Every structure is written in structure tokens, then in C-alpha cells.
Amino acid sequence: MTFFPPDSTLLGPLFTTEAMAGVFSDRARLATMLAMEAALARAEAESGLVPGTLAGAVAAVDTDTLDLPALGAKTALSGVPTIPFLKAVEARLPPDLAGGFHRGATTQDVADTALALQMRDAFALLAAELGPTLDGLCRLAEAHRATPCVGRTYGQHGAPISFGFKAAVWAAGIGEAAAALPGLRERVLTASLAGPVGTLAALGEKGPAVSAAFARALGLGVAPIAWHARRARMVEAGAWLATLIGALAKMATDIANLASTEVAEVAEPYVPGRGGSSAMPHKRNPVSCTVILAAQAAAPGHVGTLLNAMAAAHERPVGLWQAEWLALPPLFGLAAGALREARALAEGLEVHPDRMLANLDATRGLLFADAVAGRLAKHLGREKAHALVEHAAGAVRDSGRSLREVLAEDPSLADPALRAALDSAFDLGPAVAAAALWADRGVAAARQAAAALADEAPG
């Protein structure tokens, strides 16, 4: 039985990637829990608390030989997967070493540290996809920095922009999420070694040194005090994932609208057999946008679960900490699937400049109303110019004539200086040039975020 689509053989390939599913697989969880115990044994051996051979014996246990169904049945009995796992590993250790196994630690130390290791791998997968996605969007924005298109507000035509400007907005938004990742990893990827109530009392005065050596062995951060009941780092991770998905969803929302039949300014990359309809053979549905927007719709609920888990009672709560297991892996899975689709869009989006030009004329010149009012305001004053253009816009809608035609017939605009102002207002050039300027700035910010991710990547 599968409860979450990312884990499903049927739906998983749609909503996540095989690599991300692997990071949070049961076998991966067992492997990270074993890595935690091996690191603990090494750290304790440094302080003379356990034999030096224990770490090697622990690391030598083959988690692939552990019986997953049996561990699952025992997890239902114990309430956590850690307890049956520890018993299974201990049974495979030499009797003279088993007594030092898991010394001073508690089940939550194992689970939280293992999750931190899984999150490290998961963040690395996302970072590896973010770079190419940003690069694709930047190239798209640069290629169309001066391609005129409609700027839309409240679902209606507003004023001219360039398509490159729109793509640069997408890139900058995703780049903001990418730029936050290095700091997030530094804060979130922290080892947990605190013992039953957070004081690591079993190790006495050697506790802090063992904790530091343990974290160092795993390449994780060191907490100044137990974080068993301090769950803000999990909330921060979940919120970042939801923010990333949201930034991708902004792009997907725009593309889905621009790809609609009535607009038809862009289309998702064509892949044979993708996006068809069981009833309508002509359909080419925006599948990438669908996956991204489905992830965006689901993400806030998982973040809410993580926020609720912050109300942890005393040194360990009932149920709240365990609820994180139901929220963080699905969030990573959804983010991976959404980012995969976003990369495909960034690198292969079909753009139709001719259709963009045609749509610029759809409102018969009303798209230039703001520019007209601005030019006339220099001669008539802002309030009078705005009222005049507003009245002319009404005449355009009532008569079907163009804004330029209506204004040309207005006797109050017969002055040659006003005629010249009108002529300049209907020139696309200044609006596109302004959009291109800001597109360049957005691209620069996105490229900077991508470069920071590349600099941080493992060699």
C-alpha cells in the first residue's frame, strides 16, 4: 500500500524523480541510520568510551540484508523504526562489542541525524537541477529581451513589455530561492546527539567532545544544545521547499495561460505522446505546468504539519515529531518533480513572437493608454489627461475603433505639440527598451545565484 504519490509506482514518476525517491527510500533510511551509529562509535572511541573496533564492525553490517517487512511490522509495535533497526544491527555485532553499541544515544538522535543526512543528499539533487534551470531561463530572457509582448495585470492587458522581461522575472524569483539554499543547508544540516532527555548524561563531561567529533565525522553541524524539541530547522527546510515550488509555480501559471488557445504565445516543448487527451485527439495539454501547480497546491499543507510540530511538549513530544516524517520527504519529492519540469520548460519552451505582436493589437490600442496619458499630462496636467484618455477608452470599447482613431478626432488635441505627443505614445520602442533594461538586471541576479550554487557544489 502506498500513501503518498511520490512513493507510488504508478504516480511517482509523474510527481518526483527516481533519484529523489531513492534518497528517501527505506533502504536509504537504513543506510543513514547505520552511518549515524558508525560515526557515534568512532567519536566515542576517540574519547575511550568504546573499543576502537566497534565503528568498523557497525559499518560492516550490510543493511541490504535486513528484512524490511519484518522491520516494518516491528515498527508498528515499537512506534519508531529506530528500535527494531538497532536490535537487528546489534544482533549482527560480535558479542564483545555489542555492549558499547548506541551508547548514550536515543532513538530520536538516530532518526534526526539520519534525516539530516538524507536531506543533505536531497538538497544536493535540487541544487544540481537549479543551476541548469536558471541558465535556461536566463538564455530565454536574453534571447527575447526585446521581443514585444503584452503586460497583463488582473488578467487584462496593461501595457507593453518584452517577453524577455517576463522570463527574467521567473528567473529572478527562482534565483531568490536558490540564493537562500547555501545558508539554509548550513543551519539545517545539524547532527543530533543528546540522549534520552537531551543532556547526554550517559557520557558525562565527555558529552560535548563526543558530540562535536560525531558531527565532524558525518560532515554535519553541531548543535549547542539538544534540538529534540526545537524543530525550527525542519520548518525552515519545509518552508524553503514550498517557496521554491511557489517560485516555479509562478512561471507555470504564466506559461499555462500563455499556452491557452486564445493566447497561444508559448507552448510547452513537444514530446510525442505527452499531453494528449483520452477524448480529444487534438489536445496538447501543459503537463509540466500541471505537475508544478499540483506540487504547489499540496506543499502548504505539509509545511503546516511542520509548523504544528513546533509545539513540542517538554523534552520530547507525542506525535508531533513523528508527523515530520509524513511531511518532509513528500515536500522534497514534490520539489524534485516540479524542478524537473521547470528545467524542461526553461530549456525547451516554444515562443511565438508573431502571436505576441498580434495580441498587442487585440485591444485596438488601449495597451498604450498609460503612455498616452503620460505624454499628454506634460501639456494638460495629469488629472485632465487621465480623464481624457479614460473617456477615449470608453469610446474605443463602444465603437470598435482604435484608440488612435478616437483621439485623432478629439478637437481638444488638435495642437501640433499634442499630436506629436500622441504619435510618440504609440511607439513600442520605449516600453520594450525599459523592459529589456530590467530583464538584463533580472538575468544578472539569477546568474549570480546560479554561480553561488556552483561554487558550493562538491568537487
Side-chain angles (χ1 to χ4, degrees):
M1 181 182 295
T2 299
F3 290 97
F4 299 106
D7 303 323
S8 167
T9 302
L10 183 63
L11 297 178
L14 175 64
F15 286 110
T16 193
T17 64
E18 183 178 355
M20 188 62 78
V23 167
F24 290 101
S25 69
D26 289 334
R27 290 295 178 190
R29 181 189 291 268
L30 295 180
T32 53
M33 288 196 292
L34 189 73
M36 177 273 176
E37 290 294 346
L40 175 61
R42 284 194 293 272
E44 291 181 337
E46 289 181 18
S47 293
L49 296 170
V50 300
T53 55
L54 175 58
V58 172
V61 173
D62 184 359
T63 56
D64 287 341
T65 65
L66 299 180
D67 186 338
L68 277 176
L71 290 176
K74 292 174 182 177
T75 294
L77 182 64
S78 65
V80 290
T82 315
I83 293 174
F85 165 78
L86 292 173
K87 290 180 178 179
V89 172
E90 187 173 1
R92 286 164 168 76
L93 297 177
D96 60 321
L97 296 178
F101 178 60
H102 190 62
R103 181 172 178 178
T106 192
T107 56
Q108 189 170 358
D109 291 329
V110 181
D112 278 348
T113 300
L115 181 57
L117 293 173
Q118 288 176 292
M119 290 168 64
R120 180 171 65 189
D121 291 342
F123 281 135
L125 289 177
L126 295 177
E129 283 291 286
L130 271 168
T133 301
L134 287 170
D135 182 62
L137 285 175
C138 287
R139 285 187 281 108
L140 185 68
E142 289 167 340
H144 294 282
R145 65 186 297 277
T147 299
C149 75
V150 173
R152 296 170 171 90
T153 62
Y154 286 78
Q156 300 183 18
H157 288 203
I161 58 171
S162 71
F163 183 69
F165 171 83
K166 188 180 291 288
V169 168
W170 303 337
I174 298 167
E176 287 172 349
L181 182 54
L184 174 76
R185 287 199 275 205
E186 184 176 352
R187 292 187 298 276
V188 168
L189 300 179
T190 302
S192 176
L193 181 62
V197 292
T199 61
L200 205 53
L203 305 187
E205 63 181 13
K206 294 184 177 180
V210 171
S211 177
F214 168 69
R216 185 170 59 251
L218 292 169
L220 297 174
V222 182
I225 194 169
W227 57 277
H228 290 165
R230 296 188 297 117
R231 311 309 293 179
R233 56 179 36 83
M234 297 305 183
V235 174
E236 187 177 2
W240 180 83
L241 290 165
T243 299
L244 170 62
I245 293 170
L248 303 176
K250 189 293 185 266
M251 176 177 68
T253 296
D254 285 350
I255 290 174
N257 176 265
L258 294 175
S260 64
T261 302
E262 292 79 7
V263 181
E265 293 182 0
V266 304
E268 288 196 358
Y270 175 67
V271 178
R274 185 174 172 91
S277 166
S278 62
M280 296 168 284
H282 66 285
K283 293 294 295 295
R284 184 173 162 188
N285 293 320
V287 174
S288 290
C289 293
T290 297
V291 172
I292 295 170
L293 292 172
Q296 195 273 334
H302 292 308
V303 177
T305 297
L306 298 174
L307 284 166
N308 288 335
M310 291 188 73
H314 302 300
E315 283 60 58
R316 194 172 309 161
V318 177
L320 299 186
W321 158 60
Q322 292 85 349
E324 293 174 352
W325 308 342
L326 308 177
L328 266 175
L331 272 171
F332 274 106
L334 292 170
L339 193 52
R340 174 196 62 203
E341 301 300 331
R343 178 177 177 177
L345 292 173
E347 294 180 338
L349 189 69
E350 297 178 11
V351 181
H352 306 304
D354 291 345
R355 183 65 181 180
M356 292 177 181
L357 278 175
N359 286 339
L360 283 165
D361 294 330
T363 57
R364 300 181 299 281
L366 289 181
L367 200 67
F368 297 93
D370 178 63
V372 170
R375 300 291 196 287
L376 294 180
K378 298 176 182 179
H379 302 273
L380 305 176
R382 192 192 67 83
E383 187 173 346
K384 184 175 180 180
H386 188 277
L388 188 151
V389 175
E390 184 177 18
H391 177 76
V396 169
R397 285 188 286 266
D398 292 340
S399 68
R401 292 179 296 163
S402 72
L403 179 62
R404 196 163 193 169
E405 290 173 334
V406 171
L407 291 173
E409 296 172 0
D410 191 324
S412 67
L413 300 177
D415 184 274
L418 294 176
R419 293 293 180 186
L422 283 177
D423 289 339
S424 66
F426 287 95
D427 179 9
L428 271 173
V432 171
L437 170 68
W438 288 102
D440 293 342
R441 290 168 60 89
V443 165
R447 289 202 184 281
Q448 184 176 7
L453 282 181
D455 290 342
E456 194 197 38

